[in-house]
Amino acid sequence: DAKTTQPPSMDCAEGRAANLPCNHSTISGNEYVYWYRQIHSQGPQYIIHGLKNNETNEMASLIITEDRKSSTLILPHATLRDTAVYYCIVRPLGDPGTYKYIFGTGTRLKVLA
Amino acid sequence: DAGVIQSPRHEVTEMGQEVTLRCKPISGHDYLFWYRQTMMRGLELLIYFNNNVPIDDSGMPEDRFSAKMPNASFSTLKIQPSEPRDSAVYFCASSLNLDRVNIYGYTFGSGTRLTVV
């Protein structure tokens, strides 16, 4: 599996956009970029995923560079409830058992009031 | 849907005792995963099931760990005998089948915090 690199921690002011970067320079052509987050004392929560086009859903936006070697998760208006550890994961599309999610250490985002 | 339900939320037991963790996946999900999370090792996949059948248990740390899925709505993770180093948060996750899993991702339960003293 391709490895990802994320900053260990970030702060963001409440109401501002939170931009969480992820480097995945060895990503393969068939690997998607997934983002999960884990709020304290809860299980990880799926946020969004994409292959090469930018994606947006009700939770966030995902911007993937043209060379696919990095991506940015954007929380457009961060709230205190967005304080969590954010995981960037790359894996191929396919059997969820064969292509397991490998969770790294993630980025600990703290949203400040 | 109530999501993935795990019980108990917290478990404190003495070393050497048997511990059973329980999981009810989301109805209709074909895959079930057991993860363990510690500060030192992060989130580790222990075992996963597909249609109630264990497919890959290579992440199970020792023979003291066993998992079963007797039906589509219930799974257990058992540790016998338990040791202090088993202290961790254990998560269960379920997923839709191959065709749709990559839209919804995994759904995790709230976890069981196990403390072995």
Side-chain angles (χ1 to χ4, degrees), chain A residues 14-74:
Chain A
E14 187 178 22
R16 304 297 294 270
N19 297 286
L20 292 95
C22 179
N23 286 320
H24 31 79
S25 58
T26 59
I27 191 170
S28 299
N30 66 338
E31 289 182 317
Y32 282 65
V33 180
Y34 291 79
W35 283 84
Y36 279 74
R37 74 179 181 183
Q38 187 173 21
I39 296 171
H40 182 61
S41 298
Q42 297 182 23
Q45 176 190 23
Y46 166 83
I47 301 174
I48 198 168
H49 77 283
L51 181 63
K52 56 183 177 180
N53 298 318
N54 298 340
E55 302 288 345
T56 296
N57 63 21
E58 65 278 5
M59 291 183 67
S61 295
L62 174 60
I63 308 298
I64 303 174
T65 58
E66 191 169 346
D67 62 8
R68 301 207 326 120
K69 293 185 177 182
S70 65
S71 60
T72 301
L73 178 75
I74 301 173

Side-chain angles (χ1 to χ4, degrees), chain B residues 56-78:
Chain B
D56 184 355
D57 64 355
S58 60
M60 297 285 260
E62 299 174 32
D63 291 345
R64 297 184 296 105
F65 286 70
S66 63
K68 295 182 179 180
M69 192 166 186
N71 57 62
S73 60
F74 183 66
S75 177
T76 60
L77 178 67
K78 185 177 294 185

